[in-house]
């Protein structure tokens, strides 16, 4: 999938798959997680990201925080260039379309909703410096 495997991610995914999408151990136990596969913007190769999500109607919402890093994660750029993604939320999997929202009232509303549901995200903007954290709306193919 990626250029190199990541044993921590591999174990996290195995835990999710074994427990109907619920992470049972480690620092992400109990967090709402999804596995998103996008195509690399440069390489065209599949790239996976394990992301915390919230809902907005039928859509899923994720944020490109990189833990508050001043650099936007590569998966955000991949989704902007190649918006067709595959989402796995064991036991189900489905295709979706990603829309990166970097500024404006929709981004602010979705960010505020995300932080209300996942309060620890509230500290990321201070850590990110001048970078505005993008919000990504994932619309399942079945919801169109």
């Amino acid at each position: 999938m990626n250029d190199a495997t990541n044993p921590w991610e591999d174990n996290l995914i195995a835990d999710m798959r074994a427990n109907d999408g619920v992470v049972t151990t480690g620092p992400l136990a109990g967090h709402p997680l999804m596995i998103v596969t996008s195509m690399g913007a440069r390489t065209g190769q599949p790239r996976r990201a394990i992301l915390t999500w919230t809902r907005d109607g039928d859509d899923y919402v994720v944020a490109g925080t990189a833990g508050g890093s001043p650099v936007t994660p590569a998966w955000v750029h991949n989704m902007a260039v190649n918006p067709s993604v595959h989402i796995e939320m064991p036991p189900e999997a489905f295709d979706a379309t990603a829309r990166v929202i970097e500024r404006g009232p929709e981004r602010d509303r979705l960010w505020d909703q995300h932080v209300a549901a996942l309060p620890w995200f509230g500290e990321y903007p201070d850590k990110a410096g001048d970078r505005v954290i993008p919000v990504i709306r994932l619309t399942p193919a079945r919801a169109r």
Side-chain angles (χ1 to χ4, degrees):
M1 169 89 40
N2 290 343
D3 295 332
T5 61
N6 176 319
W8 187 84
E9 285 184 0
D10 292 342
N11 288 334
L12 182 64
I13 290 169
D15 187 26
M16 290 173 68
R17 289 178 176 157
N19 296 289
D20 288 330
V22 177
V23 178
T24 62
T25 62
L28 298 177
H31 287 228
L33 297 177
M34 62 171 53
I35 305 157
V36 180
T37 303
S38 60
M39 299 306 274
R42 241 179 341 129
T43 67
Q45 296 298 307
R47 300 289 184 235
R48 79 175 179 207
I50 302 168
L51 305 173
T52 307
W53 56 270
T54 55
R55 295 295 297 260
D56 186 56
D58 290 335
D59 293 348
Y60 294 88
V61 176
V62 296
T65 63
S69 168
V71 178
T72 299
W75 60 262
V76 173
H77 181 64
N78 292 344
M79 289 181 189
V81 172
N82 299 307
S84 294
V85 299
H86 184 75
I87 297 174
E88 184 180 352
M89 298 174 66
E92 69 174 315
F94 51 91
D95 293 326
T97 300
R99 185 166 58 92
V100 178
I101 308 164
E102 297 188 64
R103 299 198 186 276
E106 182 184 15
R107 182 256 172 226
D108 296 344
R109 180 183 67 79
L110 293 173
W111 174 257
D112 290 345
Q113 261 179 215
H114 204 66
V115 171
L118 308 166
W120 61 92
F121 275 74
E123 68 187 50
Y124 294 147
D126 289 339
K127 292 179 179 181
D130 293 336
R131 178 172 80 90
V132 175
I133 295 171
V135 173
I136 300 84
R137 176 182 289 280
L138 301 168
T139 302
R142 64 179 186 254
R144 284 189 217 134

